[in-house]
Amino acid sequence: MSDRLEPGTIVDGRYRIEHRLGSGGMADVYCATDLQLDRKMALKVLYGRFAQDPEFVERFRREASAAAGLQHQNIVAVYDRGEWEGTYYIAMEYLEGQSLKALIQQYAPFDPEIAIAYTTQILRAARFAHRRGVIHRDLKPHNVIVDDEGMATVTDFGIARAGASEMTQTGSIMGTAQYLSPEQAQGLPVSQESDLYSVGIVLYEMLTARVPFEGESAVAIALKQVSEAPTPPRALNPAVSPALDAVVLRALAKDPAARFPDADAFIDALEAARNGVAPSAAQTTVVGLAPATSAYPAQTAYAATPRTYAPVPPSDDARSNRWWIVAIIALLVAGAIVAALLLTRTTQVVVPSVVGSDSGTARSVLEREGFSTDEMPKTSSRPKGEVIGQNPAGGAKADKGSLVTITVSDGPGMSVIPDVTGLSAAQARRRLENAGLRVRVREKASEDVKKGEAIETIPAAGQELARGSTVTLVVSSGPEKLDVPSVVGQQQADAQTTLITAGFKVEFTEREDAKAEPGTVLAQSPAAGKQALKGSTVQLVIATRPAFVTVPDTVGDDEATALRRLEALGLIVVEQAIDVDSEDQDGIVVEQRPQSGKVEPGSTVTIGVGTFTPNPSGLRGRGRWR
């Protein structure tokens, strides 16, 4: 398959590629969507050219296995790993933000307080891993992501140390060499002190905008890590206090025993440096090296008087002697490696790959090939009893009869649901997912919780669930909105009852209206059918009887029309019959008293309605029938 995946590619039937985020020494990293959980995540895919190399594949698997067991706010969460179309992938938490390296390139040197804050977060991640037996081996600012809120998250846990042949292969290894501890540069075993040395380099770079050791090749840089003392950061940045300067230099001691014993001690020293208290710095000598000394004598606090550093260039003789020392070191290291190989050579056989099989089958296969076995349980999303890792890796060669340790899934394990009340939806989701839980989001109206913030989880915080279980995250959609009912035409009391029952408050204003019955609702706001917040107020306009009404002139109207016009104004109408000579005036108002003017509602208006009586003989005459 091609190394570069196109947007829309579905990996392993589950992860849809959105776009590429970046590349590393052995894998591309993509932004992808988990189609099962409908969430954004990062997918690291091993380059195809490395997928056939058992050593690279094992490194890749080891990274996933080591990181999957590390659930910490400053460590990237690993969700899944797998094999797909001839290569391997790791599914990880997607982090918003920039790499610490990018921030250093833009803004360094940092204010010491900011540098201490970032370093402390990196050390917390290292401390968590170290306590679980995991050494990072490649701590550098490229592997630290900082979000908009200043949270630093460490990535790429579990990578094995680079071999000597890799030190000259790529520019990425060159960058790694700038952060390697002296023991790593010599191919010696690593420990948590090796990680602390790398963190010291990162702190140095944040404070000075440069790494302490640079060179034309990775080997040249590595030799400087072994043999040269760093320029004190205070000589490059006067804002660095003497106490902080001493902390950095102790972290960069050549001898691991002279560094801080653990991440807690490093953190405590940074906190003390804020108050002007420096760590004691022991002078130590590494076998085969010149003495590694601190720039300051051992003491507990420094005077306020600043020091000035004026490095003196070495003489030609001294420079010549130093290169002899470097050459001798390189020869000694190479000789030690060759001697170790010759002395320990024995019959070696290929270790079978048993990852993915059940533990019983795995032991049988390994023992049949002449290996002894040891089983190590580990919490995992894989089914209980499945082999999820082995050491040495499948395909590697190992001494016949040697021990192969298989890591067996103990099932997902249990997770306590964290309290996410008041966090933003994104923060709450991340905290739940970091606890190993799947998240389903549901919105709920709330008058007390701000829109977009977490109200609760279902099940509630504090309960235990199996890792991988689904938790419902209830997020506030803000105050509830309700449909406003129609009350126009209702009487005031009925309208008030209707609106209160529907969840609204009511306010009234009055308006004179001679035609409407007093107390009738003439208008409402918001209008019927609109939506309004629950508990909000609906304004009603109520009809009142006017103090005076204007009497309309109804002469010429028919009887029914006149009655309707007058009674609509609240007037009492008295009718009288009046003889008329014309049939056209029959039933028509011919007289009105009063005919116009303003009167009080309830006043009497008399109208004369024409009555036509025809002549019995059929002849018209002056006489009228009564």
Side-chain angles (χ1 to χ4, degrees):
M1 60 169 288
S2 169
D3 278 355
R4 186 65 54 83
L5 300 182
E6 297 297 326
T9 302
I10 306 297
V11 175
D12 208 9
R14 176 170 179 175
Y15 304 107
R16 184 181 66 230
I17 300 298
E18 305 298 344
H19 58 270
R20 192 167 67 96
L21 295 171
S23 299
M26 56 192 225
D28 275 323
V29 182
Y30 298 89
C31 175
T33 298
D34 185 336
L35 300 177
Q36 289 186 15
L37 300 179
D38 190 26
R39 68 179 176 189
K40 186 184 292 186
M41 36 76 67
L43 197 73
K44 178 181 283 191
V45 182
L46 183 66
Y47 292 142
R49 63 184 181 275
F50 294 143
Q52 306 307 315
D53 186 327
E55 182 180 351
F56 271 99
V57 171
E58 179 55 25
R59 286 179 60 192
F60 202 67
R61 288 175 174 171
R62 189 180 297 122
E63 176 184 357
S65 296
L70 301 177
Q71 298 290 333
H72 188 270
Q73 62 180 354
N74 295 117
I75 299 176
V76 66
V78 171
Y79 303 135
D80 190 18
R81 71 173 186 181
E83 183 178 356
W84 174 72
E85 293 192 6
T87 192
Y88 299 84
Y89 68 83
I90 301 172
M92 304 177 295
E93 174 186 11
Y94 178 81
L95 298 172
E96 299 278 1
Q98 298 185 73
S99 73
L100 181 57
K101 183 66 176 180
L103 294 177
I104 289 172
Q105 291 171 339
Q106 293 177 65
Y107 303 113
F110 290 176
D111 180 278
E113 284 292 329
I114 295 175
I116 289 173
Y118 286 147
T119 304
T120 299
Q121 292 186 70
I122 297 169
L123 287 169
R124 286 173 182 159
R127 175 181 63 189
F128 187 83
H130 293 166
R131 289 176 177 175
R132 286 153 182 80
V134 177
I135 308 300
H136 192 289
R137 295 182 171 87
D138 195 26
L139 281 169
K140 54 187 178 182
H142 314 65
N143 290 337
V144 179
I145 303 299
V146 180
D147 66 17
D148 292 340
E149 297 178 357
M151 175 175 282
T153 305
V154 180
T155 67
D156 288 350
F157 262 94
I159 294 180
R161 68 185 180 196
S165 62
E166 297 170 42
M167 294 295 290
T168 57
Q169 287 180 358
T170 66
S172 63
I173 298 299
M174 169 85 79
T176 295
Q178 295 173 333
Y179 304 91
L180 286 181
S181 65
E183 56 270 25
Q184 286 177 283
Q186 296 175 85
L188 299 175
V190 298
S191 62
Q192 64 180 12
E193 288 85 356
S194 305
D195 276 354
L196 301 185
Y197 182 94
S198 299
V199 176
I201 298 259
V202 174
L203 175 57
Y204 187 105
E205 187 177 10
M206 285 192 284
L207 293 170
T208 66
R210 50 166 283 188
V211 291
F213 304 111
E214 296 182 302
E216 295 181 356
S217 69
V219 172
I221 296 171
L223 289 173
K224 289 183 179 182
Q225 297 279 21
V226 171
S227 62
E228 290 192 9
T231 301
R234 184 169 166 78
L236 303 173
N237 180 7
V240 178
S241 69
L244 181 56
D245 197 67
V247 171
V248 177
L249 292 173
R250 179 171 177 184
L252 299 185
K254 303 300 181 187
D255 183 356
R259 299 173 203 150
F260 297 105
D262 52 36
D264 276 326
F266 199 158
I267 292 170
D268 291 343
L270 288 173
E271 186 60 35
R274 284 195 172 103
N275 301 318
V277 179
S280 57
Q283 294 189 347
T284 60
T285 301
V286 180
V287 175
L289 303 181
T293 61
S294 169
Y296 300 102
Q299 57 188 57
T300 57
Y302 288 91
T305 305
R307 295 181 180 228
T308 302
Y309 297 90
V312 179
S315 65
D316 291 339
D317 289 340
R319 187 179 294 110
S320 176
N321 290 337
R322 185 172 62 187
W323 282 109
W324 272 108
I325 292 171
V326 171
I328 290 171
I329 291 168
L331 289 172
L332 287 173
V333 171
I337 294 172
V338 171
L341 290 174
L342 291 174
L343 290 172
T344 58
R345 179 176 295 172
T346 185
T347 302
Q348 291 195 320
V349 293
V350 175
V351 180
S353 176
V354 294
V355 173
S357 61
D358 65 86
S359 59
T361 301
R363 286 196 303 271
S364 297
V365 170
L366 290 167
E367 290 168 1
R368 187 168 59 244
E369 294 298 322
F371 295 100
S372 61
T373 60
D374 186 24
E375 187 172 312
M376 182 174 67
K378 182 178 180 181
T379 299
S380 166
S381 60
R382 298 294 184 180
K384 186 178 178 68
E386 179 181 329
V387 177
I388 58 176
Q390 67 180 88
N391 185 26
K397 286 187 176 182
D399 296 343
K400 192 167 185 177
S402 62
L403 178 68
V404 176
T405 302
I406 57 174
T407 304
V408 180
S409 173
D410 201 25
M414 301 300 290
S415 180
V416 177
I417 301 174
D419 185 3
V420 297
T421 305
L423 297 179
S424 69
Q427 291 171 328
R429 175 188 281 273
R430 179 177 176 183
R431 181 168 293 183
L432 291 166
E433 289 175 347
N434 284 347
L437 301 169
R438 298 184 179 185
V439 182
R440 179 192 301 117
V441 178
R442 190 184 78 192
E443 289 192 340
K444 178 181 178 180
S446 173
E447 297 178 15
D448 303 318
V449 180
K450 184 180 177 181
K451 182 177 180 180
E453 290 185 354
I455 300 174
E456 61 181 347
T457 56
I458 303 173
Q463 296 190 34
E464 281 194 341
L465 286 180
R467 288 181 179 272
S469 300
T470 298
V471 173
T472 299
L473 172 62
V474 182
V475 177
S476 172
S477 59
E480 183 179 2
K481 286 190 173 183
L482 304 172
D483 291 330
V484 179
S486 174
V487 294
V488 173
Q490 294 184 15
Q491 283 296 303
Q492 179 176 347
D494 294 337
Q496 185 172 10
T497 300
T498 299
L499 290 169
I500 291 175
T501 302
F504 297 100
K505 298 176 183 177
V506 187
E507 288 185 358
F508 303 98
T509 57
E510 294 182 341
R511 187 174 73 197
E512 292 183 352
D513 192 310
K515 298 180 180 180
E517 181 180 351
T520 301
V521 177
L522 301 176
Q524 68 179 78
S525 179
K530 299 287 186 180
Q531 284 200 324
L533 295 177
K534 183 179 180 180
S536 61
T537 300
V538 178
Q539 300 285 343
L540 300 182
V541 179
I542 306 300
T544 60
R545 189 177 300 280
F548 295 94
V549 295
T550 300
V551 179
D553 184 3
T554 62
V555 174
D557 291 346
D558 61 78
E559 179 182 4
T561 299
L563 285 172
R564 185 170 60 252
R565 291 178 64 191
L566 293 169
E567 289 177 348
L569 297 175
L571 300 172
I572 299 172
V573 182
V574 175
E575 297 181 67
Q576 290 184 351
I578 297 179
D579 292 336
V580 293
D581 296 332
S582 170
E583 187 175 356
D584 293 341
Q585 291 183 306
D586 189 56
I588 302 301
V589 177
V590 294
E591 291 183 11
Q592 173 182 318
R593 295 191 303 272
Q595 192 169 353
S596 62
K598 290 185 178 292
V599 298
E600 294 181 356
S603 299
T604 299
V605 176
T606 302
I607 57 174
V609 181
T611 302
F612 172 73
T613 303
N615 189 327
S617 63
L619 300 176
R620 290 184 180 276
R622 296 174 63 89
R624 298 184 181 182
W625 292 89
R626 305 290 300 173

